[in-house]
C-alpha cells in the first residue's frame, strides 16, 4: 500500500517562515539577555553546578572565538534557516569561482539593520554557500562583546561567527592550506543608523583596517553587495546633527553597538512591528581583487588598494543594479 503525504499548504509554509524569522529576530534582541539571566539564576537553584561547570569550561575555552570558532554543521544546516531564507527570500549570487587553495577577505555591504543577508549566507547553509563555493569555509566577524555572554557565545560560534579583532582575523587568514573566507561587515554597527529603504550610503570612505589586514596577509579582497538589505525595515528619522543621532552615537561609543529605532510589520498584521518586511535580498559576491603581501604596508599602499576596492565595489553595484530593480540614477555613496 502506497501512502502519499499532501504537500504543506501555503498558509502553513508562511507561518513556518514567519516563525523562523521571529526566532532569528528574538535571538539577537533578547536571547543574549536570557542566557545571562539563566546563567545567574541557576547559581541560586539546585542546578547551581551547571553554571559552575560552564564557568570553568568558559574559562578554558575563552580563546575559541579568536581561534576560528566552533561550527556545528547540524545547526548550520537546520531547516529553520531554509524557512527564514524563503520568508524574504534571500539568494546568494556567484559571479566567479573562488580557488579553494586561497584564503579570501570578503567585504560585506551594506550592514542593514540586523545584517540578515550576512547571517544567513555565511552562518548557515540555507542559501547554498558550500555548493556555490566548494572547498571554502566561511567565517563572519561579530563584535567581541557578544562572545562574553554565557551560552550565547556557543550559539554564535556554531554558525561560524568569530570575534572581530585582529588576532581572530589573522588566525583565519594565515592558514597556509587556504580554503577560508573571512567576511567583514565593513560599515559596522554605525552604518546601521543609515539603513532605510532606498538608501545606498556606505560608511567606507575612511574604513581601511580591512585593507591593511588583507595586504599584511596577501589575501585577495572580495567585494560583496547585498541588494535589498536596507529595505527590510523602516527607521525613525535621524539626520546627522539631530538630537537622536547624537544620542545614538554617544550610546555606541559607550556600549560598542548602535541602537537604530527600527520598525516594519507585526506577526499577525502588516502595519507595525519588529519583524522585517517580506522583501527579496540578493547577495552578490564579486570577483577577487589580487593583493600583494607586505608586512608593513605604507599609507600609500593602503590608500591605493582601498581605492581599487571602492572602484570594484561600485562596478559590481552598477553591473547588477538593473537586475534587482534599482533605478538607473541611483549610485553608491561613500562617507
Amino acid at each position: 500500500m502506497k501512502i502519499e503525504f499532501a504537500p504543506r499548504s501555503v498558509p502553513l509554509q508562511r507561518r513556518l517562515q514567519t516563525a523562523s524569522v521571529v526566532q532569528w529576530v528574538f535571538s539577537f534582541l533578547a536571547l543574549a539577555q536570557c542566557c545571562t539571566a539563566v546563567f545567574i539564576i541557576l547559581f541560586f537553584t539546585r542546578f547551581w553546578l551547571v553554571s559552575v561547570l560552564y564557568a570553568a569550561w568558559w574559562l578554558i575555552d575563552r580563546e575559541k572565538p579568536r581561534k576560528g570558532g566552533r561550527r556545528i554543521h547540524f545547526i548550520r544546516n537546520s531547516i529553520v534557516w531554509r524557512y527564514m531564507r524563503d520568508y524574504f527570500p534571500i539568494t546568494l549570487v556567484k559571479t566567479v569561482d573562488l580557488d579553494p587553495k586561497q584564503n579570501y577577505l570578503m567585504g560585506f555591504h551594506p550592514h542593514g539593520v540586523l545584517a540578515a543577508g550576512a547571517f544567513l549566507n555565511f552562518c548557515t547553509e540555507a542559501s547554498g554557500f558550500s555548493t556555490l563555493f566548494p572547498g571554502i569555509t566561511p567565517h563572519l566577524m561579530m563584535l567581541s562583546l557578544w562572545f562574553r555572554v554565557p551560552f550565547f557565545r556557543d550559539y554564535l560560534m556554531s554558525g561560524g561567527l568569530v570575534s572581530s579583532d585582529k588576532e581572530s582575523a589573522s588566525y583565519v587568514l594565515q592558514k597556509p592550506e587556504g580554503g577560508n573566507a573571512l567576511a567583514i561587515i565593513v560599515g559596522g554597527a554605525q552604518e546601521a543608523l543609515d539603513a532605510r529603504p532606498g538608501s545606498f550610503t556606505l560608511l567606507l570612505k575612511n574604513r581601511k583596517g580591512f585593507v591593511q589586514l588583507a595586504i599584511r596577509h596577501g589575501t585577495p579582497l572580495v567585494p560583496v553587495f547585498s541588494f535589498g538589505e536596507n529595505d527590510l525595515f523602516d527607521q525613525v528619522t535621524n539626520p546627522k546633527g539631530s538630537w537622536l543621532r547624537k544620542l545614538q552615537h554617544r550610546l555606541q561609543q559607550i556600549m560598542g553597538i548602535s541602537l537604530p529605532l527600527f520598525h516594519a510589520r507585526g506577526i499577525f498584521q502588516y502595519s507595525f512591528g519588529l519583524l522585517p518586511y517580506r522583501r527579496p535580498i540578493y547577495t552578490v559576491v564579486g570577483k577577487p581583487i589580487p593583493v600583494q603581501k607586505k608586512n608593513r604596508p605604507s599609507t600609500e599602499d593602503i590608500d591605493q588598494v582601498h581605492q581599487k576596492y571602492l572602484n570594484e565595489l561600485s562596478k559590481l553595484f552598477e553591473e547588477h543594479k538593473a537586475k534587482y530593480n534599482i533605478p538607473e540614477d541611483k549610485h553608491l555613496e561613500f562617507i
Side-chain angles (χ1 to χ4, degrees), residues 225-261:
F225 193 86
S226 198
F227 292 88
E229 193 75 43
N230 282 342
D231 297 336
L232 305 185
F233 297 94
D234 291 313
Q235 190 172 166
V236 175
T237 304
N238 58 342
K240 293 181 179 179
S242 65
W243 68 268
L244 177 57
R245 189 61 168 254
K246 291 178 181 177
L247 177 61
Q248 288 172 324
H249 275 302
R250 182 57 180 165
L251 290 174
Q252 182 189 350
Q253 291 173 350
I254 296 172
M255 302 189 308
I257 58 175
S258 65
L259 296 172
L261 298 180

Side-chain angles (χ1 to χ4, degrees), residues 109-120:
H109 315 272
H111 183 286
V113 172
L114 293 179
F119 173 78
L120 192 133

Side-chain angles (χ1 to χ4, degrees), residues 86-295:
D86 295 337
Y87 173 91
F88 297 100
I90 295 178
T91 305
L92 183 62
V93 181
K94 180 178 75 172
T95 59
V96 296
D97 292 326
L98 297 182
D99 184 359
K101 295 180 181 179
Q102 283 263 22
N103 293 318
Y104 297 94
L105 198 161
M106 294 180 168
F108 182 92
H109 315 272
H111 183 286
V113 172
L114 293 179
F119 173 78
L120 192 133
N121 287 311
F122 300 123
C123 298
T124 81
E125 287 297 330
S127 59
F129 185 95
S130 295
T131 302
L132 290 173
F133 302 104
I136 304 293
T137 301
H139 304 264
L140 178 65
M141 301 195 83
M142 191 176 189
L143 285 174
S144 300
L145 68 89
W146 293 112
F147 294 95
R148 300 170 190 166
V149 181
F151 304 119
F152 189 60
R153 67 189 290 274
D154 300 282
Y155 167 71
L156 295 176
M157 287 192 291
S158 69
L161 284 155
V162 295
S163 62
S164 57
D165 50 52
K166 292 181 180 179
E167 294 81 4
S168 178
S170 295
Y171 183 87
V172 174
L173 297 178
Q174 69 186 4
K175 290 191 174 181
E177 66 273 19
N180 286 298
L182 180 67
I184 301 177
I185 307 177
V186 182
Q190 188 175 341
E191 190 177 78
L193 299 178
D194 289 312
R196 49 179 46 86
S199 173
F200 300 101
T201 301
L202 302 181
L203 187 61
L204 186 55
K205 195 172 184 179
N206 296 312
R207 295 282 174 111
K208 301 178 182 179
F210 73 105
V211 173
Q212 185 179 20
L213 186 66
I215 295 175
R216 285 181 173 174
H217 291 279
T219 306
L221 284 164
V222 181
V224 179
F225 193 86
S226 198
F227 292 88
E229 193 75 43
N230 282 342
D231 297 336
L232 305 185
F233 297 94
D234 291 313
Q235 190 172 166
V236 175
T237 304
N238 58 342
K240 293 181 179 179
S242 65
W243 68 268
L244 177 57
R245 189 61 168 254
K246 291 178 181 177
L247 177 61
Q248 288 172 324
H249 275 302
R250 182 57 180 165
L251 290 174
Q252 182 189 350
Q253 291 173 350
I254 296 172
M255 302 189 308
I257 58 175
S258 65
L259 296 172
L261 298 180
F262 62 90
H263 59 89
R265 51 157 291 190
I267 299 177
F268 303 109
Q269 44 75 34
Y270 298 91
S271 57
F272 189 84
L274 295 180
L275 288 190
Y277 294 119
R278 286 180 178 268
R279 292 172 180 171
I281 297 175
Y282 297 92
T283 303
V284 183
V285 180
K287 65 179 182 180
I289 303 169
V291 175
Q292 183 180 358
K293 184 176 181 178
K294 292 185 178 180
N295 292 326

Side-chain angles (χ1 to χ4, degrees), residues 14-27 80-81 83-88 114 116 120 233 274-278:
R14 284 296 182 98
R15 288 196 292 271
L16 290 171
Q17 291 166 8
T18 302
S20 69
V21 174
V22 169
Q23 180 268 336
W24 167 68
V25 172
F26 173 79
S27 71
V80 171
W81 309 128
Y83 282 123
M84 176 180 167
R85 172 200 65 196
D86 295 337
Y87 173 91
F88 297 100
L114 293 179
L120 192 133
F233 297 94
L274 295 180
L275 288 190
Y277 294 119
R278 286 180 178 268

